[in-house]
Amino acid sequence: MLFEDTYKTIAEPVEGFYKDKGSKFISFIFPITTENEVKTHLLKLRELHPKANHHVYAYRFGLDRMQYRLSDDGEPSGSSGRPILNTLYSKEITNILVVVVRYFGGTLLGIPGLINAYRSATEDALENADIVVKHLVVNYELKFSYVQMNDVMRIIKEMELPVLEQNFEMECRMVVEVRTTLVERFITRCDKVEGLVTKSI
């Protein structure tokens, strides 16, 4: 059982393939963190495969089953986007986009055939994927004077927080990454440092 702030996703984009009765199903899987990335990937694949008959996709974010979207892109309803999404659920992976590009082979596959084809193309790509465990995080900006430097650095070191940005000029500024399960503890500790200003970004 994973902790409530951890999730599985893929390390980098992968591809898969499935063929049935002349129809080719090429699957592309991307790790994503925003909906804008979805649009970018879809546009790029439409440019790369302008003659494909369908660009079916599904994606999901977060750990609940409510943050998702799917498109059958002209295939019969429920025959394509849903099997892709269900595969992501069954593998318990998230923050991920799957696009399956179909080139029609001239023979209709029927709904059961389509469900199998889209699921199989997705599974083939996932077999090539490097699945990694990541954490849900919140980024915090810290502003403080040099006087508070030791106190701030102690919090960062003891809580093992990754530092994303830092600059020390007239005042000190850092951006750190805090796992969602540690946020309360982090805020409590920061509140005890007089003059330290924190805000989530």
Side-chain angles (χ1 to χ4, degrees):
M1 176 71 185
L2 293 174
F3 292 107
E4 64 203 48
D5 71 339
T6 58
Y7 65 93
K8 289 193 294 185
T9 189
I10 62 170
E12 54 194 10
V14 287
E15 293 180 22
F17 183 77
Y18 182 76
K19 191 173 179 182
D20 189 10
K21 295 178 182 168
S23 279
K24 293 176 186 171
F25 299 83
I26 312 163
S27 51
F28 301 86
I29 308 189
F30 306 94
I32 53 169
T33 51
T34 67
E35 294 213 19
N36 281 340
E37 291 173 70
V38 172
K39 292 171 192 158
T40 304
H41 289 310
L42 283 170
L43 280 171
K44 203 172 281 183
L45 287 174
R46 287 185 194 282
E47 285 172 12
L48 285 170
H49 296 273
K51 292 183 178 169
N53 301 83
H54 306 279
H55 290 77
V56 172
Y57 69 86
Y59 63 86
R60 70 176 293 217
F61 290 113
L63 297 174
D64 63 39
R65 292 188 166 222
M66 305 308 291
Q67 292 178 277
Y68 72 87
R69 184 165 288 176
L70 52 86
S71 165
D72 294 318
D73 193 35
E75 292 281 34
S77 179
S79 68
S80 44
R82 177 60 64 180
I84 293 172
L85 185 66
N86 287 343
T87 304
L88 300 184
Y89 287 148
S90 69
K91 304 282 186 189
E92 295 182 338
I93 51 180
T94 188
N95 286 28
I96 197 166
L97 163 69
V98 180
V99 185
V100 178
V101 175
R102 180 189 184 188
Y103 286 90
F104 183 55
T107 304
L108 293 172
L109 302 180
I111 303 259
L114 289 173
I115 290 172
N116 179 60
Y118 282 101
R119 186 181 60 231
S120 298
T122 304
E123 287 174 346
D124 185 62
L126 285 173
E127 280 172 18
N128 302 324
D130 180 13
I131 294 178
V132 291
V133 174
K134 292 195 171 187
H135 306 291
L136 296 174
V137 296
V138 185
N139 292 343
Y140 278 88
E141 180 184 62
L142 311 178
K143 287 185 176 176
F144 52 95
S145 65
Y146 282 94
V147 180
Q148 287 107 13
M149 174 79 82
N150 284 345
D151 291 331
V152 172
M153 296 312 284
R154 187 176 299 117
I155 294 170
I156 290 169
K157 190 175 177 194
E158 288 174 5
M159 293 189 69
E160 298 178 357
L161 305 176
V163 177
L164 306 180
E165 294 175 36
Q166 59 183 22
N167 47 48
F168 305 120
E169 291 170 1
M170 291 300 284
E171 74 166 355
C172 307
R173 177 185 174 274
M174 299 178 86
V175 176
V176 295
E177 192 178 86
V178 185
R179 285 173 60 169
T180 51
T181 48
L182 298 176
V183 164
E184 209 171 305
R185 191 168 129 216
F186 171 73
I187 296 295
T188 304
R189 291 195 63 174
C190 288
D191 286 346
K192 290 175 182 168
V193 179
E194 202 175 321
L196 169 62
V197 178
T198 65
K199 72 168 182 178
S200 60
I201 55 172

